[in-house]
Amino acid sequence: MKKVKKLISLTLVLLFVVTLIPTTAGAGFFKEDKTTTVNEDGKWVSAWSTSPISASLNDLGVLDKLGVPVSLVTSRVVIQPTASGSAVRLTFSNEFGNLPLTISACNVAKGDPDNHKKVDGSTRVTVTFGGKTRVTIPAGQVITSDPVAINVTAGESLAVTAYYRGINVMRTIGLIGADSYVAVGNQTRINNMLTGIKLKFEADSGSYEIIPALVGMDVMAAKDTDVCVFFGDSTLANEIPRMLAAKLRANGINNVSVTQEAIKGNRLIANGVGAAANLLGEAGVDRFQKDVLSQHGVKYVIVKLGINDIVHPHCASKADKLSTVTFEEMVAGYQQLINMAHAQGVKIYFCEITPWKGYTRNVFGRGDDVQWTEEIDAIRLQLNEWLENEAPADGFIDLSAMHSADDAYALISDQTPDGIHHNAAGQQNFVNQIPVEMFR
């Protein structure tokens, strides 16, 4: 995690450095984007999301207090919306900022699935905020754009390109769910961002995809469209949401959008702790309302959260910062999620907390941080029993098909990179266990 934190710090410093480079790629050199009228004859639903976290920069001293100055920089964020429709609207966050964040230009266009730096310029449409192309987001605030008329097909690539100019501070980012690039100057109307630098890092626990400011996209979809949100930790911070969306479409279910609110290292009942605490997010019980229940059109939520509550107190690097959780504390946390979901008429399903024997949290070769024992693991089995048989939820997703045939305390060896996370084969196995009947 220290290496990931350093990568994020260096990435954001890069954004600062490129602001010092002169550029002539101004808006006046390009033809204006087209604008169109939106026919809101449908239903706004969330079609893509990522969980915002604070990009803490402790290693850089004062920047941790102020954020990272960003100016004359363009970001291109390529996503795959999971709902089809006739228009979109975008949500940008400065939730963790201490100073305003200004977007001077923004547009959305169809992306190239084979080259994410490239867009189809003929589909480019200007994004406005309150009728204006420039917007300043105050510190601690979130803003949603005006509706943008563009036909969207579920599963296609869609690129959001934004130009940050003036006095800006970038601190709110996402870490999963998109391919992002940054480049010098105003490149919002450049089709192929050849100079774009990709903001992504691969680790055993999955990809860290640094997404500046953009946290959500709604689509004007058919009126019978509903949203399913995946809510959890690093075992869901991967391609599982998009894989489930594809599975539903393959089974003729075209009216369910699938979004993602997963944070690596996230816990159910407590905030992250340690040197990279901000990257681990707020406790699940505290972010559930904002990240899940505030999404437009949400009808289902699938929860897989709790393994970090169990494992982290036993990690050598966190031993003096955390207390061991109890069964009663965890049940109270799950019950809180159930109560919040049901109060809003949302169906909530819990996944089995999958095995982790063999996982040592040897992050980036820094040495084993934890060792599995039956004693530590006992609460996981107890919680799974409660979630399956006693929890007043709407269902339980049994993931026993992911267990090793030789050891029920471990995952299938060729479906995990480290004993706890799921590689592509493990993610597919996971999705195979989710019955499509849930959504009919």
Side-chain angles (χ1 to χ4, degrees), residues 25-32 186 189:
F29 289 86
F30 301 95
K31 182 180 178 181
E32 289 295 322
N186 184 358
R189 298 186 184 99

Side-chain angles (χ1 to χ4, degrees), residues 293 298-300 339-348:
L293 298 182
V298 60
K299 183 177 179 180
Y300 314 94
N339 292 345
M340 286 190 286
H342 286 171
Q344 194 168 306
V346 173
K347 294 184 177 181
I348 183 168

Side-chain angles (χ1 to χ4, degrees), residues 28-280:
F29 289 86
F30 301 95
K31 182 180 178 181
E32 289 295 322
D33 300 339
K34 65 182 179 181
T35 57
T36 51
T37 303
V38 174
N39 179 12
E40 297 195 25
D41 184 21
K43 173 184 178 182
W44 284 112
V45 300
S46 178
W48 174 86
S49 65
T50 190
S51 297
I53 57 97
S54 174
S56 174
L57 300 177
N58 292 336
D59 296 340
L60 300 179
V62 69
L63 292 183
D64 183 48
K65 302 297 183 184
L66 299 178
V68 177
V70 176
S71 183
L72 304 178
V73 173
T74 298
S75 73
R76 177 160 289 169
V77 179
V78 182
I79 66 177
Q80 290 182 353
T82 56
S84 299
S86 58
V88 303
R89 58 188 185 188
L90 309 172
T91 298
F92 291 86
S93 177
N94 192 23
E95 177 181 349
F96 299 106
N98 294 329
L99 291 174
L101 179 68
T102 298
I103 301 173
S104 289
C106 182
N107 59 53
V108 61
K110 300 294 183 76
D112 184 333
D114 299 318
N115 179 4
H116 280 181
K117 291 185 180 183
K118 188 177 181 181
V119 300
D120 179 353
S122 68
T123 66
R124 187 186 293 117
V125 186
T126 296
V127 176
T128 60
F129 304 84
K132 299 180 179 180
T133 57
R134 182 180 183 275
V135 66
T136 296
I137 311 172
Q141 299 297 310
V142 176
I143 192 166
T144 298
S145 74
D146 300 327
V148 181
I150 183 171
N151 290 323
V152 177
T153 302
E156 72 175 343
S157 292
L158 210 60
V160 177
T161 308
Y163 176 48
Y164 300 93
R165 182 181 182 183
I167 300 174
N168 290 294
V169 170
M170 181 68 68
R171 185 159 182 175
T172 306
I173 63 173
L175 287 179
I176 190 68
D179 279 342
S180 298
Y181 303 84
V182 293
V184 179
N186 184 358
Q187 299 200 25
T188 54
R189 298 186 184 99
I190 291 177
N191 292 343
N192 195 352
M193 188 185 280
L194 294 173
T195 60
I197 300 170
K198 191 170 187 177
L199 304 183
K200 190 171 184 177
F201 179 75
E202 297 291 344
D204 286 348
S205 59
S207 298
Y208 289 82
E209 300 162 345
I210 303 170
I211 306 166
L214 182 68
V215 297
M217 172 183 282
D218 293 341
V219 166
M220 176 59 67
K223 292 181 179 179
D224 65 344
T225 305
D226 296 310
V227 176
C228 173
V229 184
F230 274 98
F231 183 71
D233 50 37
S234 56
T235 61
L236 287 182
N238 46 43
E239 291 301 305
I240 285 174
R242 284 164 289 283
M243 292 169 74
L244 176 61
K247 174 182 175 178
L248 295 180
R249 293 194 297 269
N251 282 271
I253 300 175
N254 297 303
N255 63 341
V256 177
S257 178
V258 184
T259 63
Q260 183 171 43
E261 293 292 341
I263 300 176
K264 291 178 172 67
N266 198 228
R267 293 189 292 154
L268 173 69
I269 62 174
N271 295 346
V273 300
N278 289 342
L279 304 185
L280 309 181

Side-chain angles (χ1 to χ4, degrees), residues 415-434:
Q415 295 186 6
T416 177
D418 57 4
I420 196 169
H421 297 102
H422 314 305
N423 60 20
Q427 292 168 44
Q428 186 60 64
N429 191 359
F430 190 124
V431 171
N432 290 344
Q433 310 314 310
I434 302 176

Side-chain angles (χ1 to χ4, degrees), residues 249-398:
R249 293 194 297 269
N251 282 271
I253 300 175
N254 297 303
N255 63 341
V256 177
S257 178
V258 184
T259 63
Q260 183 171 43
E261 293 292 341
I263 300 176
K264 291 178 172 67
N266 198 228
R267 293 189 292 154
L268 173 69
I269 62 174
N271 295 346
V273 300
N278 289 342
L279 304 185
L280 309 181
E282 298 173 283
V285 293
D286 294 330
R287 69 184 185 92
F288 189 70
Q289 180 67 47
K290 175 192 67 174
D291 286 357
V292 175
L293 298 182
S294 66
Q295 291 202 22
H296 291 92
V298 60
K299 183 177 179 180
Y300 314 94
V301 56
I302 297 176
V303 179
K304 191 172 188 290
L305 186 61
I307 192 61
N308 292 315
D309 297 77
I310 297 169
V311 174
H312 282 185
H314 299 279
C315 294
S317 62
K318 300 176 181 288
D320 60 340
K321 302 178 181 70
L322 290 172
S323 299
T324 303
V325 295
T326 67
F327 172 77
E328 290 74 20
E329 289 172 333
M330 293 293 289
V331 165
Y334 289 131
Q335 187 66 62
Q336 191 172 340
L337 299 187
I338 294 168
N339 292 345
M340 286 190 286
H342 286 171
Q344 194 168 306
V346 173
K347 294 184 177 181
I348 183 168
Y349 300 85
F350 287 92
C351 298
E352 173 192 331
I353 307 172
T354 43
W356 61 285
K357 187 176 181 180
Y359 178 63
T360 63
R361 201 172 182 270
N362 184 357
V363 183
F364 304 112
R366 290 188 293 129
D368 293 350
D369 198 25
V370 68
Q371 295 288 341
W372 178 94
T373 67
E374 286 194 43
E375 181 181 7
I376 296 173
D377 202 34
I379 188 173
R380 179 183 66 88
L381 303 179
Q382 191 179 9
L383 288 171
N384 280 335
E385 176 71 19
W386 184 83
L387 290 170
E388 181 175 13
N389 299 309
E390 299 180 47
D394 297 282
F396 177 79
I397 298 173
D398 184 347

